Amino acid sequence: MAHRVPRFITDFFVYETAKSVVVKSWSVGIINRVVQLLIILYFICWVFMHEKGHQQRDTGIESAVMSKVKGLGKFNNRVMDVADYVVPSQGGSSFSVITSMVITANQTQGRCPETDPKFKCTTDDECMAKLGSNLGNGIITGTCLNNNNETTGWCEIEGWCPAEDDTVSGKPMKEVENFTIFVKNSIRFPLFNVTRGNFPSSLNQSYIQSCHYDSVDDPFCPIFKVGDILRHINQSFDSITDKGGEIGININWKCNLDYNVMYCNPNYFFTRLDAAFKNSAASKGYNFRFAKYYQSEDGTEHRTLHKAKAIRFEIIVSGNVGRLYSPKCYKAAYVTYGLATVFCDIILLNFHKGADEYKAKKFEEVSGIVSESANNRLYEGSQMSLKALEKRSNDSGTFSIGRQDPSNQ
Ligand SMILES: *[C@@H]1O[C@H](CO)[C@@H](O)[C@H](O)[C@H]1NC(C)=O
Ligand SMILES: *[C@@H]1O[C@H](CO)[C@@H](O)[C@H](O)[C@H]1NC(C)=O
Ligand SMILES: *[C@@H]1O[C@H](CO)[C@@H](O)[C@H](O)[C@H]1NC(C)=O
Ligand SMILES: *[C@@H]1O[C@H](CO)[C@@H](O)[C@H](O)[C@H]1NC(C)=O
Ligand SMILES: *[C@@H]1O[C@H](CO)[C@@H](O)[C@H](O)[C@H]1NC(C)=O
Ligand SMILES: *[C@@H]1O[C@H](CO)[C@@H](O)[C@H](O)[C@H]1NC(C)=O
Ligand SMILES: *[C@@H]1O[C@H](CO)[C@@H](O)[C@H](O)[C@H]1NC(C)=O
């Protein structure tokens, strides 16, 4: 009956089953145990203890940040408070603290000379060549204003006049280094439904009003002194206020929920975010412009233009939590065991003395024997038919080769 079925069908309907071959060899046995030991150590020390491979992790942190700057400073003999120097005022995760400004007061719409050295001229033709430039303080009209005795003049612009002259700049507001930033950060890990805040609710009012963050003495204090932050990132106050800059306050939540959630607290660290451009010749620092508008009695619109150099703070929240997840444990243990077998098989099949004998024992085809004896020995099982080939076979289907075990004789 079997002869009438096409061969590719019989080739397809086969069943492969694993067979254990016990190799009684000291060398392979020792290698096997050493490899198993190494793999177990690797899993315990690296995968479990260091990488927390047995845990399910949630990296999708949800975060809300609120910030508040406090401090009073003096700039150009004017006292500056929070409303003057913090932009924007909402107190989010990104805000700027202005350290110095170029103030151009009483601008109105009109025509006046440029102030930028790029727009110096002696004839109208030079200004005609600069028509449409984006770099001016207004639209270039194409006339060279040269109405005094000097040989060079400035191109005329149409726009807000007088034009800003940003070569005159006041002294930076020194008090910024004593300003404090209060950070309130609330996070949630949706996978485990864990909600935490960056300071314990047990902190009392009087403590919060007087503390300053310190990684050793006051790790839970959510108030950061600008001077301390600059010291942490090794930046001098002058170097950052000179041109402005960008600082990151990183809040990192890395929690192990196998312990009490009480121990889930953030770590803070600070970075100079624009460090890559610190020595850039093209663009250095950070500045921006804003204006305040008012109307005079005769109805003309005036504005005061501010070009501000500022330290921009970015509060960056990151983190992940882990919790014991048993399927990953089992999988890791399973892989561990399998790896030792694979390694020893490679040695046995390729580099060991009795490799050929081992190969013969390990890979066997029993198709012919089974089909020939199938008719009369069907219910005795394949163990019987194997016996013809393997005199040492036993009920467990386990074979032994190599070193003889005296107890089995
Ligand atoms: C503002 O400018 C206008 C003309 O542009 C001038 O008349 C006025 O006096 C100025 N006001 C102040 C306060 O400087
Ligand atoms: C132009 O020069 C003359 C003399 O050389 C002088 O008297 C006059 O004040 C100067 N004008 C200006 C606007 O500088
Ligand atoms: C900052 O505060 C310290 C101590 O309160 C003070 O000695 C120092 O002068 C202050 N710095 C500035 C620039 O005001
Ligand atoms: C998350 O936990 C809070 C209490 O901590 C509980 O009130 C809320 O029902 C939980 N949400 C879910 C989706 O389990
Ligand atoms: C506030 O807390 C601090 C320590 O966290 C403690 O030393 C102080 O006595 C507390 N003050 C009040 C009024 O509870
Ligand atoms: C801080 O910067 C100075 C020079 O800018 C350098 O000599 C010093 O090693 C730096 N310190 C740290 C802790 O990076
Ligand atoms: C199979 O094992 C049993 C006991 O486990 C033993 O009595 C028997 O002799 C073994 N047979 C062979 C062929 O080794």
Side-chain angles (χ1 to χ4, degrees):
M1 186 186 94
H3 295 289
R4 262 180 264 141
V5 182
R7 191 182 165 83
F8 66 88
I9 291 183
T10 53
D11 281 357
F12 179 73
F13 288 105
V14 294
Y15 169 66
E16 275 172 33
T17 181
K19 180 175 79 169
S20 295
V21 179
V22 176
V23 182
K24 302 216 164 167
S25 152
W26 282 107
S27 52
V28 180
I30 290 170
I31 290 174
N32 180 36
R33 294 301 179 205
V34 168
V35 171
Q36 280 178 347
L37 188 72
L38 288 179
I39 290 172
I40 287 169
L41 283 179
Y42 163 77
F43 268 95
I44 289 176
C45 297
W46 179 258
V47 177
F48 290 151
M49 288 168 72
H50 188 267
E51 293 288 297
K52 306 273 193 294
H54 61 292
Q55 290 187 330
Q56 187 181 26
R57 302 206 78 79
D58 184 3
T59 52
I61 184 171
E62 296 169 355
S63 152
V65 171
M66 195 217 80
S67 64
K68 191 173 262 181
V69 183
K70 277 201 159 45
L72 290 167
K74 254 189 160 176
F75 181 73
N76 275 357
N77 287 323
R78 269 175 53 199
V79 173
M80 307 267 287
D81 68 8
V82 180
D84 295 324
Y85 60 72
V86 175
V87 183
S89 52
Q90 282 88 345
S93 60
S94 171
F95 57 91
S96 302
V97 174
I98 295 169
T99 54
S100 77
M101 286 188 284
V102 176
I103 299 173
T104 313
N106 196 24
Q107 283 187 318
T108 48
Q109 287 282 330
R111 288 180 176 226
C112 56
E114 255 293 353
T115 50
D116 194 297
K118 281 192 286 288
F119 296 98
K120 278 192 170 163
C121 62
T122 47
T123 61
D124 285 356
D125 287 348
E126 286 176 47
C127 291
M128 291 300 284
K130 289 174 179 135
L131 284 181
S133 166
N134 282 342
L135 303 172
N137 284 305
I139 297 172
I140 308 286
T141 58
T143 351
C144 186
L145 297 178
N146 194 6
N147 51 358
N148 54 20
N149 296 353
E150 292 170 29
T151 50
T152 58
W154 305 86
C155 292
E156 188 192 48
I157 56 159
E158 185 186 350
W160 288 100
C161 287
E164 173 192 271
D165 182 4
D166 70 359
T167 53
V168 291
S169 172
K171 274 210 173 99
M173 188 160 60
K174 277 271 170 214
E175 294 81 359
V176 171
E177 64 173 333
N178 279 348
F179 288 1
T180 56
I181 302 166
F182 169 64
V183 176
K184 201 158 87 177
N185 175 216
S186 164
I187 57 123
R188 181 170 169 267
F189 287 103
L191 187 61
F192 303 122
N193 191 20
V194 171
T195 305
R196 297 291 291 161
N198 65 326
F199 55 90
S201 40
S202 59
L203 284 194
N204 59 36
Q205 189 79 17
S206 58
Y207 176 73
I208 270 196
Q209 273 166 1
S210 61
C211 74
H212 287 147
Y213 172 80
D214 184 285
S215 54
V216 179
D217 295 332
D218 291 295
F220 295 126
C221 180
I223 294 175
F224 304 87
K225 216 168 116 180
V226 174
D228 290 344
I229 294 176
L230 293 175
R231 242 188 318 281
H232 267 111
I233 57 174
N234 200 14
Q235 301 282 325
S236 78
F237 180 73
D238 294 331
S239 78
I240 202 160
T241 49
D242 188 31
K243 293 267 178 198
E246 199 163 3
I247 288 177
I249 300 177
N250 296 264
I251 307 181
N252 185 244
W253 295 83
K254 200 165 185 186
C255 299
N256 187 346
L257 294 181
D258 293 344
Y259 302 115
N260 193 322
V261 74
M262 289 269 293
Y263 299 111
C264 184
N265 290 313
N267 283 314
Y268 301 95
F269 56 95
F270 312 95
T271 45
R272 172 106 197 235
L273 293 175
D274 59 348
F277 302 106
K278 217 164 59 180
N279 300 315
S280 158
S283 171
K284 234 185 257 188
Y286 174 61
N287 63 64
F288 58 90
R289 287 186 175 81
F290 63 97
K292 289 169 183 166
Y293 298 84
Y294 55 95
Q295 249 177 354
S296 61
E297 268 161 25
D298 63 356
T300 38
E301 192 180 26
H302 297 253
R303 75 172 193 187
T304 306
L305 177 67
H306 300 75
K307 179 187 176 183
K309 286 178 190 159
I311 306 177
R312 182 151 121 198
F313 291 91
E314 296 278 349
I315 301 173
I316 302 163
V317 182
S318 60
N320 62 68
V321 289
R323 176 180 277 170
L324 179 72
Y325 185 61
S326 39
K328 280 182 111 175
C329 271
Y330 295 138
K331 212 161 119 191
Y334 185 75
V335 171
T336 313
Y337 227 71
L339 278 180
T341 311
V342 168
F343 188 78
C344 289
D345 271 1
I346 290 172
I347 292 181
L348 267 175
L349 291 171
N350 298 295
F351 308 112
H352 201 246
K353 274 209 303 281
D356 288 338
E357 190 192 352
Y358 178 71
K359 258 182 209 164
K361 298 276 186 201
K362 186 163 168 65
F363 302 107
E364 263 185 304
E365 267 186 36
V366 292
S367 61
I369 308 160
V370 171
S371 57
E372 271 165 25
S373 52
N375 288 342
N376 42 8
R377 293 196 182 165
L378 200 57
Y379 299 104
E380 293 177 32
S382 60
Q383 295 294 332
M384 293 302 289
S385 50
L386 279 170
K387 258 198 163 158
L389 281 175
E390 299 297 338
K391 61 182 194 322
R392 288 184 59 78
S393 73
N394 209 334
D395 295 354
S396 68
T398 303
F399 290 87
S400 297
I401 58 174
R403 177 161 48 90
Q404 297 291 312
D405 189 348
S407 66
N408 220 12
Q409 294 288 297

